Amino acid sequence: MTCAGCAASVESTLQEQKGVIKAGVNYATQQVQVEWDPQQTSLPDLQKAVQDVGYDLIIAEEKGEELQKEAQAEHLTALRSKTIWSVVLSVPVVIIGMFLMDMPYANYIMLALTAPVLFLFGRNFFVNAFKQARHGRANMDTLVALSTGIAFFYSAFNTFFPQVLQRQGLVPHVYYEAAAVIVAFILLGKMLEERAKAHTSTAIKKLMGLQPKTVRLLMDGLEQEVPLESVAVGDSILVRPGDKIPVDGSVLEGSSYIDESMISGEPLPVEKKQGEPVFAGTLNGRGSFVFKAEKVGADTMLANIVRMVQQAQGSKAPVQKLADKIAGIFVPVVIVIALLAFAVWLIAGGTLAQAILALVTVLVIACPCALGLATPTALMVGIGKGAEAGILIKDAESLERSFKVNTVVLDKTGTITQGKPVVTDWQWLRPQEAPILKEILLGLEQRSEHPLAEAVVKSLYEEGTNALLVSRFESITGRGATALHGKEKYLVGNLKLMQEKNIVLDSKLEGQAQQLRNEAKTDIYFANSKEVLGVLAIADSIKETSAEAIQKLRSQGIEVHMLTGDNVNTAAAVAKKVGLQHFKAEVLPGEKAAYITELQQQGRVVAMVGDGINDSQALAQADVSIAMGKGSDIAMDVAKMTLISSDLNHVPKAFLLSRKTVKTIRENLFWAFIYNLIGIPIAAGLLYPFTGFLLNPMIAGAAMALSSVSVVLNSLRLKNVKL
């Protein structure tokens, strides 16, 4: 594909095929994503349809990416060769056309030099234009083929039959230099554009290059170096100082500090001891250790990151869909304008040569390349930049939408706090009953999936408590859980659960619970069917960076809210510590989504940041959803952005990246539109009546090439943004 019009053409061709549900073409990545019904069509059928309109389709099989890279490398080599030869042949044509017009056989020499530039090195423009025309379509190739073809054949006619115009008192001008230089400039622009476009995907290449090619396996106590592809789940792998970690796994023996900045953005190395996870692509420090491979190949976190970034870079933002639509109708409109310019020149008394010159110049200058490249190149660089900083963006739409966010809702546990609650206090109604009650409580909490239950179980295990058998376990969402031990029913949960079940709370225990809440601790009640038997407190420490991140969000003009299922006192204490003014406590999972809906109804654009399964509904409801990377898989599946590290500072960074990317897209679109808005009237000769200036087609060709290159270079500036 050579322009955004080509992308629109391929997309509409695929969409017209029977059985195709949806097709999307990304011009910058040269990739297409198709959803189709295999009962009605097949990949070879789609490939043939694309080939019929002048393009090719590489089907993404096992080596699809390699084939695409090979094809792109071959294309660039051929483009370079064509460009060099076109320039070599065009230079003498320009010299003769400008300075040696009166030399013998000048027109015939220029014709001989121009013909190979157009029909050999610029052959593809004509072939593709013909294929497009057969299907009633037009693209940039159509503009180039029409403009250079008209200039060449008009010149050839005047070369062989000059007397026809001379009889009418007109000078038989030739425009060989214009035709040759237009092709040379456009080829040169395409070559520079291809080279610049290659740099927009460097983030992916960097990520893919993080894994080592070989691995040191330990087999029967012996070390053996094998290719990365040979590693299987369960293999023991030796990692020496300075080695890259080849696959995901957990440390079996030894310890070391590992630099995970390449996938998480965290600058400080993380200590890894026995049982702790290590990830492919990270860099070992000075220690040495052995780890067990648990995820290999496409299952590693690194492979998932690469896949997610590729899909995001191939997705389309709403503004890009609009630009593509405009690019799709742009070429036919330009052809009409060029014909109008031709007609107006003749009607207004201009010469045939001036009319042809205006027609050719309009066709040359109006290329939608820059329009097509404006959005995808900026998005590719922006999404790649995010991946390098540990911010994974699932689609372009979320990156564009983040720019408009004015309210952020944060979940408390795991987002603002560490998400690793620990039991800090026990208070019993009758302390002598504590040992037996703890055994019942352990039996009950073992059945629960709630993160706070996990903290209770851990604490009781550490005390050496044995669990008693419970039956008829029932989890009550947002409240707690109940179960039977013997014939007695026991309950564990929050104060609401106790109140709803009319459980009596001793005044002394109530006072102690109040004190715990004042200390920003979560109070949990353990009761039988009549009275509360004990109160325990769970604390979850606030992350060191949470207050700083919230301050940064506020300085960006974003209002920050906190939602928690915790009680009001604990929520208020946490909010005060991190500098939050807006919070809501004792919120059930479903109420989180309702809270976001309420904010949206007030006209706010809301981003939700969470990490747990209970945040999934709210994440789905929000305009922009951000999952903390160490949270649940479900939250990460639902969210459009994932922060690989648990540092809340990545949230303001994500919004900053969004703002910079959207600003770049707007700059690109502005210049692409301005270029055409100014260029086309000048090319048509609008200035001629006032200044006598008529744009040379050669200059138009250079301007067109320069506009595409400048858009790509502007997008590449995003790589230098400091997050």
Side-chain angles (χ1 to χ4, degrees):
M1 295 186 293
T2 53
C3 71
C6 298
S9 183
V10 172
E11 196 169 285
S12 59
T13 300
L14 286 168
Q15 279 172 342
E16 285 166 8
Q17 301 307 306
K18 193 180 174 188
V20 170
I21 302 159
K22 190 177 165 189
V25 177
N26 186 310
Y27 171 48
T29 57
Q30 302 276 303
Q31 288 181 343
V32 55
Q33 291 183 358
V34 189
E35 200 179 321
W36 78 94
D37 179 359
Q39 302 292 328
Q40 297 188 53
T41 188
S42 64
L43 279 174
D45 288 342
L46 299 178
Q47 188 178 40
K48 188 173 179 310
V50 173
Q51 286 168 343
D52 282 348
V53 287
Y55 307 97
D56 200 3
L57 184 68
I58 297 169
I59 298 169
E61 294 164 341
E62 198 174 331
K63 293 183 177 177
E65 286 179 12
E66 287 177 28
L67 287 172
Q68 189 192 6
K69 277 182 194 168
E70 281 174 22
Q72 285 174 336
E74 282 174 18
H75 174 62
L76 188 58
T77 307
L79 199 55
R80 191 183 297 121
S81 170
K82 287 175 184 174
T83 306
I84 292 169
W85 279 109
S86 298
V87 171
V88 167
L89 293 178
S90 298
V91 169
V93 176
V94 173
I95 293 171
I96 296 170
M98 296 286 181
F99 309 108
L100 305 170
M101 277 298 290
D102 297 328
M103 69 180 279
Y105 306 108
N107 286 358
Y108 292 99
I109 295 170
M110 286 194 288
L111 186 150
L113 291 170
T114 305
V117 174
L118 262 66
F119 306 117
L120 183 59
F121 307 121
R123 179 175 173 271
N124 283 350
F125 294 121
F126 293 90
V127 172
N128 291 339
F130 176 70
K131 286 182 179 175
Q132 290 286 316
R134 276 197 314 172
H135 292 83
R137 296 197 181 99
N139 64 2
M140 174 198 156
D141 294 328
T142 311
L143 295 180
V144 177
L146 275 176
S147 58
T148 57
I150 290 168
F152 179 83
F153 287 111
Y154 176 76
S155 303
F157 180 83
N158 286 346
T159 301
F160 292 111
F161 311 104
Q163 63 279 8
V164 175
L165 288 182
Q166 283 167 346
R167 276 191 213 124
Q168 299 173 35
L170 299 172
V171 180
H173 289 294
V174 293
Y175 297 103
Y176 292 119
E177 77 281 10
V181 172
I182 286 167
V183 170
F185 268 143
I186 291 172
L187 287 173
L188 179 64
K190 285 278 141 205
M191 191 183 77
L192 294 174
E193 183 186 309
E194 289 295 325
R195 289 175 63 174
K197 263 165 50 184
H199 291 291
T200 60
S201 57
T202 48
I204 287 282
K205 287 174 188 163
K206 271 189 197 171
L207 286 170
M208 291 171 85
L210 289 175
Q211 277 178 296
K213 302 285 182 202
T214 58
V215 177
R216 293 190 186 91
L217 280 189
L218 285 181
M219 300 173 79
D220 301 323
L222 296 174
E223 185 183 322
Q224 191 177 347
E225 192 160 331
V226 299
L228 177 65
E229 296 76 24
S230 308
V231 179
V233 172
D235 284 346
S236 296
I237 298 168
L238 174 65
V239 180
R240 288 183 174 164
D243 280 357
K244 286 178 183 171
I245 312 299
V247 295
D248 291 358
S250 57
V251 178
L252 288 174
E253 56 182 80
S255 66
S256 183
Y257 278 87
I258 293 183
D259 179 359
E260 295 186 338
S261 61
M262 48 288 286
I263 61 168
S264 70
E266 293 279 1
L268 295 176
V270 184
E271 187 180 10
K272 298 287 179 177
K273 294 180 287 191
Q274 189 180 0
E276 294 194 346
V278 291
F279 302 102
T282 55
L283 185 66
N284 182 31
R286 295 181 180 177
S288 181
F289 62 91
V290 177
F291 78 98
K292 182 183 172 187
E294 290 172 347
K295 288 181 180 174
V296 301
D299 295 329
T300 63
M301 182 193 270
L302 181 65
N304 278 327
I305 291 172
V306 170
R307 200 160 41 239
M308 202 184 280
V309 173
Q310 281 177 328
Q311 284 172 357
Q313 288 186 332
S315 64
K316 284 188 181 182
V319 67
Q320 188 184 341
K321 289 173 187 168
L322 176 67
D324 285 355
K325 253 183 201 173
I326 294 171
I329 58 168
F330 196 77
V331 173
V333 170
V334 166
I335 293 172
V336 171
I337 292 173
L339 290 172
L340 277 174
F342 178 80
V344 169
W345 269 99
L346 288 181
I347 293 165
T351 64
L352 181 63
Q354 285 171 323
I356 288 177
L357 203 64
L359 180 141
V360 169
T361 313
V362 170
L363 290 174
V364 170
I365 205 164
C367 169
C369 289
L371 198 62
L373 287 167
T375 308
T377 51
L379 287 171
M380 282 178 74
V381 179
I383 290 168
K385 179 83 183 172
E388 285 176 6
I391 304 163
L392 290 185
I393 299 158
K394 271 190 190 169
D395 63 25
E397 188 174 349
S398 57
L399 183 66
E400 190 187 329
R401 203 180 275 180
S402 301
F403 166 73
K404 297 174 185 167
V405 166
N406 54 22
T407 305
V408 169
V409 178
L410 302 171
D411 169 51
K412 181 180 79 70
T413 307
T415 304
I416 295 176
T417 64
Q418 296 286 357
K420 291 177 183 170
V422 289
V423 177
T424 57
D425 300 85
W426 295 95
Q427 304 292 345
W428 296 102
L429 183 65
R430 291 178 285 276
Q432 66 277 14
E433 294 177 358
I436 184 72
L437 292 177
K438 282 185 177 179
E439 290 178 355
I440 298 168
L441 177 62
L442 179 58
L444 201 161
E445 291 286 46
Q446 275 181 337
R447 307 278 294 272
S448 174
E449 292 176 348
H450 197 281
L452 296 185
E454 199 179 313
V456 177
V457 170
K458 191 181 172 192
S459 171
L460 290 172
Y461 271 143
E462 284 171 359
E463 284 184 11
T465 305
N466 293 314
L468 284 177
L469 194 64
V470 297
S471 59
R472 295 193 186 179
F473 173 85
E474 186 188 350
S475 176
I476 307 169
T477 306
R479 299 283 191 273
T482 64
L484 286 181
H485 173 66
K487 291 184 179 176
E488 182 60 78
K489 185 176 185 179
Y490 288 91
L491 304 89
V492 61
N494 55 22
L495 188 59
K496 248 184 192 171
L497 178 66
M498 302 300 134
Q499 290 167 343
E500 285 172 2
K501 301 291 180 187
N502 296 318
I503 307 292
V504 176
L505 175 60
D506 177 75
S507 59
K508 189 181 170 191
L509 279 181
E510 191 177 6
Q512 289 166 334
Q514 180 63 48
Q515 179 59 35
L516 294 171
R517 287 197 293 269
N518 291 342
E519 294 169 10
K521 292 175 181 174
T522 304
D523 49 334
I524 304 290
Y525 299 80
F526 182 50
N528 59 21
S529 55
K530 295 174 186 165
E531 59 183 352
V532 174
L533 302 169
V535 177
L536 57 140
I538 293 179
D540 184 9
S541 59
I542 295 170
K543 291 176 190 169
E544 286 180 11
T545 54
S546 293
E548 182 192 348
I550 288 166
Q551 182 53 40
K552 282 183 184 170
L553 285 170
R554 291 175 65 182
S555 68
Q556 290 178 354
I558 295 171
E559 194 172 284
V560 187
H561 295 237
M562 180 183 79
L563 294 181
T564 176
D566 239 329
N567 61 70
V568 177
N569 289 357
T570 306
V574 171
K576 190 179 175 187
K577 281 186 181 177
V578 297
L580 272 174
Q581 294 170 335
H582 308 278
F583 69 89
K584 190 172 181 186
E586 299 178 5
V587 183
L588 296 174
E591 291 172 349
K592 288 185 179 178
Y595 187 83
I596 287 170
T597 308
E598 203 178 305
L599 288 170
Q600 288 169 328
Q601 283 168 350
Q602 292 169 15
R604 296 185 168 276
V605 181
V606 185
M608 170 74 197
V609 187
D611 73 324
I613 296 170
N614 59 349
D615 298 322
S616 307
Q617 204 178 334
L619 286 168
Q621 175 63 39
D623 298 295
V624 175
S625 47
I626 303 173
M628 305 299 283
K630 291 181 180 170
S632 75
D633 290 344
I634 294 175
M636 284 189 271
D637 283 347
V638 173
K640 295 294 182 186
M641 286 192 198
T642 299
L643 310 180
I644 294 178
S645 84
S646 58
D647 185 351
L648 206 55
N649 265 322
H650 282 64
V651 177
K653 284 182 184 176
F655 293 135
L656 177 65
L657 178 66
S658 169
R659 268 197 293 280
K660 295 284 182 188
T661 307
V662 171
K663 186 183 169 204
T664 305
I665 290 172
R666 287 181 176 179
E667 285 171 358
N668 286 349
L669 287 174
F670 173 79
W671 288 113
F673 276 112
I674 281 291
Y675 159 79
N676 281 304
L677 278 176
I678 296 174
I680 292 175
I682 293 175
L686 190 70
L687 296 180
Y688 187 79
F690 313 105
T691 62
F693 175 76
L694 201 55
L695 189 64
N696 190 309
M698 289 189 293
I699 307 297
M704 191 271 274
L706 195 64
S707 70
S708 300
V709 175
S710 63
V711 159
V712 180
L713 291 178
N714 191 44
S715 298
L716 287 173
R717 285 172 57 233
L718 268 176
K719 288 174 112 177
N720 302 321
V721 168
K722 192 177 176 185
L723 293 178

